[in-house]
Amino acid sequence: MANIDTHIDDAKIALGRQWLATAELRPTKQRLSLAALLVGDGEDRHVTAEALYAASRAAGEAVSLATVYNTLRAFCGAGLMQEVHVEGAKSYFDTRIEDHPHFLFEEDGRLEDASPQELKIERLPQAPEGHEVASVDVIIRLRKA
């Protein structure tokens, strides 16, 4: 997981604007600042809403935690991000949208991408009648040995 650089400059705003344009999302001031924090350095990242809120506040942006949640969900709905549920109500928001597994580090709750090339799922159980598999989420939980 790449840390969030809280310095927002014109180049990061421009990358954020391009990212929003790919999903035809209106570039409001709050969306632009959050997009700049998320993708302004070109790195993929996994963030919680709380971490993005803290980074936004550190960058001097006046945004509420509710707005951060709503914006992240709008980004997910537009196909720019995916929400990764790790346990209970805890979610991460991932800027890498293609299917891929994750490592969850138990000692600090960090989420990182795992190599999809190394994962092999040969067969899934048959879905119950009237249902189909919508997705398969793979989270590999790690603890220190």
Side-chain angles (χ1 to χ4, degrees):
M1 171 172 63
N3 292 327
I4 302 173
D5 177 5
T6 58
H7 175 73
I8 299 176
D9 58 25
D10 290 343
K12 289 181 180 180
I13 291 287
L15 282 174
R17 185 181 303 278
Q18 290 174 345
W19 189 62
L20 294 174
T22 64
E24 299 179 357
L25 278 178
R26 190 167 53 92
T28 65
K29 181 181 181 332
Q30 290 172 326
R31 283 180 181 167
L32 274 173
S33 67
L34 294 175
L37 290 169
L38 287 167
V39 301
D41 61 2
E43 297 292 322
D44 283 317
R45 61 182 27 91
H46 306 90
V47 299
T48 62
E50 293 79 9
L52 184 57
Y53 170 73
S56 178
R57 300 295 292 184
E61 299 297 320
V63 63
S64 71
L65 181 57
T67 298
V68 171
Y69 268 106
N70 290 338
T71 302
L72 286 169
R73 294 235 159 79
F75 290 170
C76 289
L80 293 172
M81 300 184 81
Q82 62 176 325
E83 187 171 3
V84 180
H85 300 278
V86 294
E87 53 194 352
K90 185 162 185 173
S91 291
Y92 287 84
F93 295 86
D94 188 353
T95 58
R96 184 175 167 194
I97 56 174
E98 69 272 1
D99 289 336
H100 62 284
H102 292 96
F103 288 125
L104 176 64
F105 295 81
E106 289 185 346
E107 67 268 12
D108 60 7
R110 186 170 29 107
L111 191 72
E112 287 186 6
D113 292 337
S115 172
Q117 292 79 17
E118 294 180 49
L119 179 68
K120 184 176 182 182
I121 299 175
E122 292 189 15
R123 187 174 63 211
L124 295 175
Q126 183 70 29
E129 187 174 328
H131 294 83
E132 65 182 10
V133 174
S135 68
V136 175
D137 300 320
V138 177
I139 299 175
I140 303 159
R141 297 172 189 278
L142 303 174
R143 72 172 62 105
K144 289 197 177 202

